[in-house]
Amino acid sequence: MTNQDFTLEEWLRKHQSQFYPLVPFDAIQDRLLAMDFTDANTALTADVLNDTAAFSAYVTTQLQSAGARYGYGGYNEHRTVYSRSPHFSDAAAGGEPRRLHLGMDIWGPAGTPVYAPVSGMVHSYAYNNNPSDYGATIILSHQLDGRQFYTLYGHLSLADLALAKEGNYVVAGQLLAHFGEPHENGNWPPHLHFQVIEDIGLNEGDYPGVCRYSEREFYLRNCPNPDAIIQWQQWLG
């Protein structure tokens, strides 16, 4: 079989032993909390979502109460949290808002280091500063045993962009960035949005991390489950 006989997610899972941890995590000592940002979570009222300090306090309280180092989840999740910003609404699409999340979120303290999980090159970077957008963003391109793909890192520290340079080679395990503060990460509670992309097209420094539900088939195929790289689903209770 050739590499094209596998989906990208299958290919990534086939090579899992080669991936470096994305953030510091000890599977023996550290706990993870599955976080729900759908309408099933009634604690996330409009008042909480529209107040970044209150939203951040909610996340911190949830982690502390669970004794968890990180919150985790969100791939293929239909989220109501995006109602907090007009950035996710598009009248040109017949009024259908973007609500389906295409990456995996890791919620934790600002300043948490982020490492390249696999070797590659800096494809592009940008400061996406629309309300509730990615904020500081870096995209890497990778060739893994002949298969090309991209990884996107959103909600980073602005200081990390000053060190990024397109075309620079990044070694697996190399420090890449840090979780940003709300004022530089799109006005979100500190976290990392990590996304895998098969075909990035002409996009530079940005790629949709949330799509319309009607577009889910295309985007979920092009953006497979990032847990194939992170490998944390097994540690969730």
Side-chain angles (χ1 to χ4, degrees), residues 20-23 104 106 114-126 128 134-142 149-157 160-161 170 174 176-179 191-197 205-206 229-230:
Y20 194 92
L22 187 60
V23 297
M104 194 70 80
I106 300 176
V114 178
Y115 301 96
V118 59
S119 298
M121 297 179 66
V122 177
H123 170 270
S124 53
Y125 58 92
N128 298 295
Y134 287 131
T137 312
I138 295 175
I139 298 175
L140 302 182
S141 64
H142 309 278
F149 66 98
Y150 303 83
T151 53
L152 181 149
Y153 309 78
H155 310 296
L156 305 176
S157 166
D160 296 315
L161 296 192
V170 177
Q174 179 178 326
L176 178 67
H178 303 80
F179 291 16
H191 73 291
L192 173 71
H193 172 98
F194 177 68
Q195 185 168 337
V196 178
I197 305 162
D206 192 14
I229 290 178
I230 307 173

Side-chain angles (χ1 to χ4, degrees), residues 71-113:
Y72 186 61
Y75 178 70
N76 193 19
E77 185 174 76
H78 196 264
R79 291 181 161 182
T80 54
V81 296
Y82 298 117
S83 61
R84 73 197 302 257
S85 172
H87 178 62
F88 300 101
S89 299
D90 188 357
E96 183 186 359
R98 293 188 293 135
R99 294 288 186 267
L100 192 73
H101 191 242
L102 301 170
M104 194 70 80
D105 286 337
I106 300 176
W107 302 83
T112 297

Side-chain angles (χ1 to χ4, degrees), residues 157-181:
S157 166
L158 265 176
D160 296 315
L161 296 192
L163 303 175
K165 185 177 181 182
E166 292 180 6
N168 273 9
Y169 188 71
V170 177
V171 178
Q174 179 178 326
L175 179 65
L176 178 67
H178 303 80
F179 291 16
E181 298 279 357

Side-chain angles (χ1 to χ4, degrees), residues 26-39:
D26 184 333
I28 297 176
Q29 297 184 9
D30 295 333
R31 292 191 61 190
L32 298 173
L33 175 66
M35 302 200 76
D36 179 0
F37 293 103
T38 69
D39 58 5

